[in-house]
Amino acid sequence: AAGDCRAARIDLINALEADPAALPVRVDLARTLNKLGRGREAERQLQRAIDGRMSITTLRTELAEAQLLQDRSADALATLAGAVPAAERPRAARIAAEAYYRMGNGGAAVRAFARAIDPSDAPVENWIAFARYRLAEQDVLGADAAADEARRRAPRSARALAMKAEVVRYRGGPVVALPWFEAALDIDPTDVPILLEYAAALGDAGRYRAMLDPLNRAAELDAANPRGLF
């Protein structure tokens, strides 16, 4: 709940070692792994929960997220074709939108994003994804507005601040984006994707010595990350 997914992952693994039959704990571990971007591991945990007779309906959105993280967009859409709990529908719409966009179906992506951000209580992750989509489509003003909405909804979200940093970098270059990345890392200094984007911005600004610090921190947390190695 505090956003420390790395510590939560360790605690949940320890809990499962104590009681491997605790299926709700297994689902919590899958959710945590998804938040860390570890979709393959999350899918394994979800499949074990399903094998243990947990309802696929309650796990459908989480499973689709895990599949999307593995770049299996078609599988994610197929998973979402079944019933989804009402509370999960905005998140499911966001996952579908990202899947459609990756598959080149822009019209379906637009419609799904509209469903994802329509509810007044839409998750901040939906607005971050919408901002990223707008930026990819070179709609900079739309991306900026979506990033600002994400920050308004979650002022202490490191990912929302990092999304704003990406928009600022696109509009004004890497130097003006650096304070935004630094503000995001002040909130969550262990977020590997943010560390790597910060490093990339430092590199774009020609600050190669400074670039090594976030790269080394990211490597300590996720040594095999392809983006970090690149």
Side-chain angles (χ1 to χ4, degrees):
D4 189 352
C5 292
R6 294 185 182 278
R9 171 181 165 272
I10 295 169
D11 290 338
L12 289 163
I13 288 172
N14 290 338
L16 278 176
E17 286 179 356
D19 184 2
L23 298 184
V25 177
R26 200 170 290 283
V27 174
D28 282 343
L29 176 58
R31 290 195 180 100
T32 303
L33 289 165
N34 270 341
K35 288 180 180 179
L36 290 169
R38 300 168 76 152
R40 184 167 308 190
E41 296 170 57
E43 185 174 12
R44 281 202 299 267
Q45 296 299 333
L46 291 166
Q47 192 56 58
R48 291 187 67 177
I50 293 167
D51 293 343
R53 299 187 181 277
M54 282 199 75
S55 168
I56 180 63
T57 300
T58 62
L59 303 180
R60 199 179 299 281
T61 308
E62 209 65 53
L63 180 58
E65 182 89 78
Q67 291 164 337
L68 186 70
L69 285 169
Q70 299 173 71
D71 291 323
R72 290 162 48 201
S73 298
D75 289 343
L77 290 171
T79 297
L80 292 174
V84 172
E88 287 285 301
R89 286 173 191 163
R91 184 182 174 207
R94 187 264 302 166
I95 295 168
E98 293 189 87
Y100 280 126
Y101 188 68
R102 293 183 191 186
M103 296 175 71
N105 191 338
V110 169
R111 291 190 292 273
F113 268 124
R115 296 194 304 273
I117 64 173
D118 178 61
S120 59
D121 59 347
V124 65
E125 290 82 7
N126 289 15
W127 282 96
I128 293 169
F130 186 56
R132 186 169 291 109
Y133 159 73
R134 286 296 190 195
L135 195 60
E137 288 292 288
Q138 299 184 5
D139 176 4
V140 183
L141 290 178
D144 202 20
D148 284 342
E149 179 63 19
R151 289 195 304 122
R152 186 187 72 79
R153 288 169 179 258
R156 293 291 298 168
S157 167
R159 291 288 175 95
L161 282 167
M163 187 65 243
K164 178 69 175 183
E166 291 184 38
V167 176
V168 170
R169 178 169 58 173
Y170 190 95
R171 297 186 75 173
V175 174
V176 291
L178 294 177
W180 289 96
F181 282 118
E182 289 159 4
L185 289 170
D186 282 343
I187 294 171
D188 187 353
T190 67
D191 190 303
V192 171
I194 298 176
L195 283 166
L196 294 177
E197 287 307 316
Y198 178 46
L202 287 166
D204 289 343
R207 302 181 184 180
Y208 304 115
R209 189 178 299 277
M211 184 183 182
L212 289 173
D213 177 57
L215 282 176
N216 285 332
R217 281 189 281 157
E220 289 172 1
L221 295 164
D222 188 1
N225 188 290
R227 172 79 165 153
L229 293 170
F230 173 77

